[in-house]
């Protein structure tokens, strides 16, 4: 078995794809004609987005929608970069909500946090040991 992809349920798949391109530089890999599902080019593991309508269809409405006005859900997306400060500034300029500015952790990793427009928590971090 291998980890295949993560799907994030969002209000608008095209808007999410645009935000993640503007904020983090990820290109769209696929967008279904229905605009209900899309994927980004993120490396080996795919980051995908599906509409809340699809989530309700798939899960009979039994999931918690992310709310940008409430505390973040207990999950984060982590994007690794060699320049956390620059990535943080770019994300905030593209509309991400700043949560924590870059800080060096005791183990040497630099980490910062933002929230996507749809409310998901995003960690921007340097490679561990880098």
């Amino acid at each position: 078995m291998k980890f295949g992809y993560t799907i994030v349920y969002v209000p608008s798949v095209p808007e999410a794809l645009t935000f993640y391109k503007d904020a983090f530089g990820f290109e769209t890999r696929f967008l279904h004609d229905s605009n209900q599902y899309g994927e980004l080019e993120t490396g080996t593991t795919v980051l995908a987005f599906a509409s809340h309508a699809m989530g309700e269809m798939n899960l009979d409405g039994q999931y918690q929608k992310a709310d940008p006005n409430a505390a973040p859900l207990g999950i984060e997306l982590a994007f690794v970069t060699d320049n956390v400060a620059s990535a943080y500034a770019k994300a905030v300029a593209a509309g991400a909500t700043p949560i924590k500015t870059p800080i060096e952790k005791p183990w040497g990793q630099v980490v910062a946090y933002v929230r996507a427009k749809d409310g998901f928590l995003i960690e921007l971090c340097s490679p561990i040991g880098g």
Side-chain angles (χ1 to χ4, degrees):
M1 185 176 310
K2 69 176 184 174
F3 183 64
Y5 50 92
T6 296
I7 298 175
V8 176
Y9 289 95
V10 296
S12 169
V13 172
E15 287 179 21
L17 294 173
T18 298
F19 170 74
Y20 281 76
K21 178 180 181 176
D22 294 346
F24 309 110
F26 295 123
E27 296 292 333
T28 297
R29 173 179 165 165
F30 172 77
L31 175 60
H32 188 269
D33 292 339
S34 68
N35 288 333
Q36 300 297 302
Y37 179 82
E39 298 176 349
L40 293 173
E41 289 287 352
T42 56
T44 305
T45 303
V46 175
L47 177 58
F49 299 92
S51 67
H52 286 306
M54 184 172 271
E56 290 184 19
M57 179 187 71
N58 289 343
L59 304 166
D60 298 326
Q62 300 300 309
Y63 72 101
Q64 180 70 40
K65 293 179 185 177
D67 180 351
N69 299 310
L73 300 174
I75 187 170
E76 68 183 53
L77 302 174
F79 301 144
V80 180
T81 178
D82 290 327
N83 190 334
V84 175
S86 175
Y88 178 85
K90 180 180 178 182
V92 171
T97 302
I99 301 297
K100 280 195 158 187
T101 58
I103 186 169
E104 186 171 339
K105 297 292 189 176
W107 52 90
Q109 186 181 36
V110 177
V111 177
Y113 292 92
V114 297
R115 283 186 79 180
K117 290 180 177 182
D118 52 40
F120 282 91
L121 184 62
I122 297 170
E123 175 185 330
L124 302 168
C125 58
S126 62
I128 292 184

